[in-house]
Structure formats: structure tokens, C-alpha cells
Amino acid sequence: MFEAVIGLEIHAQLLTESKIFCGCSTRFGDPPNTNVCPVCLGLPGALPVLNRRAVEFAVRAGHALSCTVHETSIFARKNYFYPDLPKGYQISQYERPIATAGFIEYPAQAGVRRVGITRVHLEEDAGKSLHEGFPDSDQKTYLDFNRSGVPLIEIVSEPDLRSAAEAGEFFSRLRAILVAIGVNDGNMEEGSLRCDANVSVRPAGTAQFGTKTEVKNLNSFRYVQRALEYEIDRQIGVLRGGGRVVQETRLWDTGAGKTMSMRSKEEAHDYRYFPEPDVPPLTVDPAWIERIRESMPELPEARRRRFIEQYALPEYDAALLTQSPALAAYFEETAAAASNPKAASNWIMGDVLRKMNELGTGIEGVPLKPSALAGLIRLIDLGTITGPIAKEVFEKMWGSSRTAGDIVAAEGLARIDDDAAVEKAVRDVIAANEGAAAQYRAGKQQTFGFLVGQVMKATKGKANPALVNQMMRRILDTEL
Ligand SMILES: [Zn+2]
């Protein structure tokens, strides 16, 4: 038996307006090479000036990942040549990153899972090489420097993950945290969140690590899982066949569904890191670090636990409702206004999310306001309307400005609680279904539900179901 040992390196683009060392915009999707200046084009003599907001975001991430945030960190030059790196080096942090030694914790099947965070460091992104999409793409590569100098944090995990599924779960938790603290938009399609993985395998139960490979280009949760599953199997196959895993960088090929060798250890870059002479050591005021800590929003895991305690929600509801800060807020507003958290949860997880998915929007695009949904829940709890009618009212409220109360009043949908009216409806149904009534009296209990259903149908769902049941039973059991 073999076990996998996995650590992730995640690059997250920080949501600053401007780049890390110049005032150029970080906006995605602008025409190529329109957000550039001498600094981010690496022109001779241009000097970088550090973006304070980028530092603040890195500190936030450090706090959220329970790291030690350092008052002093040092930028370094990482030297390598690539056409989309005009300076010939990337400014990064190396030996003295801004935050180290953290962790994240979350519930898993075998209890609480804790995954170590080795470090968080600040760096600048490179430009983008465009290898396709042009008539002469078979001969030329085009370069877009809009991304050059966009601020990133690189988050390196400890090799604490033991399967592809665990790695996928960890990545998704990390993404939720970064989005919740407002430092990253979580958009993997646009490349603002990217993941590489270090993977090795070893006989289960041994302490020594096997030779690792680095798998790059894992730009979706699905690819992280599929690429790691493939790579783990590949390495186990090599070892079972009596071979040795070669330390190398491999690229996940989405189309082929496999990892391909990109470069071996011998070809690995020697980046010749040295302290960046153009950016002085970064020193941050401890009081500022503390102020940032105090301004941190509630993290997804803390919110999930609070939902279970404060609202007495089941684990499932709490996990689902805390998937995004906006959804959690929608729930909290509804629950508070309705004074019925579980009913609010049921409506949101069921009908609201269903309609939202039909619209193809997020919770922000849902036309039904929490206060309106709460109004509907209150009418049910007060006994003003029945369950089936509530569904009907919900459909009518969606996309309309009418309240549940308005709709019920205008369309005569209030519950029928009047004994005489319900009794008449019950007697009518029994008279019209003598066969079913006789079967019930002869001991066939199932027809009872059918008869009640007929009454609900006849009253268009408005009859008080408890009253119908009670009346139906009394008449069938005591009269012939
Ligand atoms: Zn610039």
C-alpha cells in the first residue's frame, strides 16, 4: 500500500486597484498593453514603489491563515529569462516572507482536519504570453504586459495532504477564506487564483518522503483532483515496476488527461536570489498589523460553527448557507425577520436556490428580498396560509413587488379554518368517492390519504390540513 504526500502552492491575485510597484490599473480584460508604464515594462531607470494596499491584503491573508505576521520582510530578486518578464527578474520575497507558520482547520470525516501553512509571501506577476488566437499564431507568440506587476500572494502549504480529494477540499477551503476576507476574487478561469502541487508517494506508514514531482497548471478544482489522481497513480506504477520517480516539473494536459514532463531537476532554474536593491526592507508597524486583525471579517469556518450554535441548524444547512458571505447574509436577514431560522434555511436551500440557478445568477441577483421571504414564512407560521398555498404565493412573489400578505388578500388564498366550510368539503368528497370511503371503512387505510388529497384539491390547497384530517377521520369512523 502506498500513500500520497501532497503540498500545494497557491498564487492569488490581490484585489488592489493598482499594481504592486506602480500606479497602473490591474483591471482584467482591458485591450493588451494598455495598462503599462516604464516600471511594469521594466524599462531602465524606472524605480518601483510598494503599494500599501497590497501589503495590507497580504497581512489580512496572514491573519486569516493563523500565521505569524512579521514586522520585517525582505523583497528579493528572482532571476530568470522569459519573454513575458521584461526585467529579466521577478520581485518576490524569499528568505524573509511577510507571514509564516500558520494553518487552517475544518471538519472532516475523521474529525477536525488541520493543514499547515508554511508561508505567505508577496510578489509581482509576470505578463502573459499569448500562443494562440492570432492568424499567425503558428509562427509568433504575442505578449500582453497588462498583468505584469499585478500583486500576488503565494501561499505554500505543508505537505500535509494525503489524497487528491483532500487536496481539492483544502484548495476549496482556502479559496473561500481568501474570498471572504476580500483579498481575492476566487476566479480561476481568469487566472486570479492558480494552483501548483508537489506530489510524492511512499509506502503507507513510513515517515520518509519519496521523490516529489511538481505539477503545474491546475486551474480548476476538478483539474487539481484529476491531475493529482493521475500523478499519484503514475508514481505508484513507476515504483511497482521497480523504477524510480524522477524529480521534475510536470504539466497537467487537460485535453490528454495526463501530466507531461516539462523539465527535469537538471534543467531546473537557479534563480540566483539576492535582496532587491530597489525596494528597501518592508517594515510594518505592529499597531497597524493589530488594527488589520481587528478589522477582519468573520471567516467561513467560524461562521459555519456559529450558524450551528446560534440558529440550531443541522451541519448540512450550516455548510451550505456559509458557502458565500452574500448567501450567509441573505439567510441571516431572512431568519431574523421571520423569527424562524430553520424555515428560512429550508426555503433558501430549496426554492430560492432552485430559482436562482434557473436565473443563472448569484444570490445578489435574486429579486426576492429577505424581508419579503420572511413575510411569507410568518404567514405560514401564523397559520394564515397552508404549505401548498405558500409555494404558490412564493412563485407569485418572485420578481414582483407584492408582499405575501398582499397576494393572499387579493387572491383569497387565506387558509380555510371554518369548521362548517371544511365539513362541507369533506362530506362532498366522501359522497363523490363512495368506493374509496367504503374501502377505508373496510380497513384499507391507504385510501384515507387519497380522500384528504381530494379535499385539498377541491379547496385549491386552502383548507387547514389538520382540520381536514380530523374531520375526515371523525366522519368516516363514526358515521355510516
Ligand atoms: Zn505600470
Side-chain angles (χ1 to χ4, degrees):
M1 273 293 280
F2 287 92
E3 72 173 0
V5 175
I6 304 166
L8 298 185
E9 288 176 15
I10 286 144
H11 287 89
Q13 184 179 320
L14 299 176
L15 284 171
T16 55
E17 301 269 316
S18 58
K19 295 185 180 180
I20 185 167
F21 295 121
C22 62
C24 293
S25 168
T26 55
R27 206 164 36 239
F28 181 85
D30 279 358
N33 300 310
T34 51
N35 298 324
V36 292
C37 75
V39 172
C40 55
L41 284 175
L43 301 186
L47 284 174
V49 177
L50 183 59
N51 181 337
R52 181 184 170 94
R53 191 89 170 135
V55 177
E56 183 192 331
F57 283 170
V59 172
R60 264 176 186 248
H63 285 322
L65 303 175
S66 304
C67 291
T68 303
V69 176
H70 300 290
E71 287 172 37
T72 303
S73 57
I74 293 178
F75 285 94
R77 264 188 204 187
K78 181 181 183 180
N79 297 281
Y80 67 99
F81 172 77
Y82 207 77
D84 61 23
L85 187 74
K87 292 197 298 289
Y89 58 86
Q90 180 189 20
I91 303 178
S92 180
Q93 293 185 319
Y94 185 52
E95 286 172 327
R96 302 277 302 271
I98 191 156
T100 55
F103 61 88
I104 66 173
E105 267 182 353
Y106 47 89
Q109 276 178 341
V112 174
R113 191 78 181 82
R114 183 184 180 122
V115 178
I117 302 292
T118 315
R119 57 189 279 147
V120 177
H121 72 244
L122 270 163
E123 63 184 29
E124 59 178 341
D125 209 346
K128 216 182 220 171
S129 300
L130 307 170
H131 301 292
E132 28 193 74
F134 297 93
D136 51 356
S137 280
D138 54 337
Q139 295 156 36
K140 291 179 179 165
T141 289
Y142 287 77
L143 295 166
D144 176 5
F145 291 105
N146 282 352
R147 203 179 67 181
S148 176
V150 161
L152 302 177
I153 45 172
E154 179 175 330
I155 300 163
V156 181
S157 88
E158 291 289 306
D160 287 346
L161 303 159
R162 292 290 172 269
S163 70
E166 267 198 7
E169 166 85 14
F170 167 76
F171 187 23
S172 131
R173 298 270 177 185
L174 187 61
R175 177 183 179 276
I177 291 171
L178 297 176
V179 171
I181 62 174
V183 305
N184 179 264
D185 64 12
N187 191 329
M188 296 166 74
E189 268 169 35
E190 291 177 2
S192 44
L193 189 65
R194 314 194 286 265
C195 176
D196 302 331
N198 289 302
V199 200
S200 62
V201 298
R202 64 183 176 192
T206 57
Q208 206 184 345
F209 293 133
T211 305
K212 70 180 178 188
T213 61
E214 186 183 13
V215 185
K216 288 194 169 287
N217 199 26
L218 307 175
N219 52 6
S220 82
F221 293 115
R222 201 155 52 90
Y223 295 162
V224 169
Q225 288 222 26
R226 284 181 53 201
L228 288 176
E229 277 162 14
Y230 176 88
E231 182 58 17
I232 291 164
D233 281 352
R234 188 191 70 82
Q235 291 188 12
I236 292 174
V238 168
L239 296 181
R240 287 227 167 100
R244 283 176 43 234
V245 173
V246 179
Q247 186 175 342
E248 62 184 350
T249 302
R250 298 179 68 88
L251 205 60
W252 169 244
D253 184 329
T254 310
K258 42 169 83 169
T259 63
M260 313 277 216
S261 180
M262 197 170 122
R263 58 172 178 258
S264 69
K265 191 187 177 188
E266 287 70 37
E267 300 163 275
H269 296 297
D270 172 6
Y271 294 115
R272 294 178 295 118
Y273 281 98
F274 60 84
E276 168 58 54
D278 290 342
V279 183
L282 169 60
T283 53
V284 284
D285 181 359
W288 189 51
I289 296 178
E290 224 19 69
R291 277 206 305 282
I292 296 171
R293 185 200 298 280
E294 282 157 16
S295 73
M296 294 285 288
E298 188 178 33
L299 296 179
E301 179 50 22
R303 182 178 293 131
R304 195 191 63 81
R305 283 198 307 268
R306 179 170 64 80
F307 274 26
I308 292 170
E309 284 161 23
Q310 181 179 341
Y311 298 112
L313 291 182
E315 297 262 352
Y316 178 85
D317 299 38
L320 197 143
L321 294 170
T322 53
Q323 276 179 354
S324 83
L327 182 61
Y330 189 96
F331 162 76
E332 292 205 85
E333 250 187 86
T334 310
S339 307
N340 187 341
K342 183 55 183 147
S345 168
N346 289 346
W347 277 95
I348 293 168
M349 292 195 305
D351 297 76
V352 173
L353 290 187
R354 173 178 58 79
K355 300 279 279 185
M356 181 186 97
N357 291 334
E358 281 170 19
L359 276 181
T361 159
I363 195 76
E364 301 85 349
V366 162
L368 185 67
K369 298 287 158 249
S371 57
L373 178 58
L376 177 65
I377 294 169
R378 279 199 310 272
L379 288 187
I380 305 163
D381 288 346
L382 286 170
T384 309
I385 54 174
T386 65
I389 290 294
K391 296 275 180 191
E392 194 183 324
V393 174
F394 175 84
E395 292 292 335
K396 289 181 173 165
M397 287 172 79
W398 190 268
S400 131
S401 56
R402 294 197 296 166
T403 66
D406 289 347
I407 293 169
V408 169
E411 309 194 10
L413 296 172
R415 193 172 78 183
I416 303 171
D417 283 316
D418 176 51
D419 281 2
V422 172
E423 180 171 347
K424 179 171 184 316
V426 169
R427 288 191 185 281
D428 288 351
V429 163
I430 292 173
N433 297 277
E434 279 177 349
Q439 283 177 355
Y440 170 80
R441 285 174 171 135
K444 194 172 173 202
Q445 295 285 325
Q446 299 95 302
T447 58
F448 185 79
F450 164 78
L451 291 166
V452 168
Q454 292 304 109
V455 177
M456 294 310 290
K457 203 169 148 189
T459 58
K460 299 196 170 63
K462 291 187 288 184
N464 179 345
L467 198 54
V468 173
N469 270 278
Q470 186 194 342
M471 204 80 80
M472 178 72 77
R473 202 131 346 243
R474 183 173 60 74
I475 294 172
L476 288 176
D477 289 351
T478 60
E479 298 177 16
L480 267 179

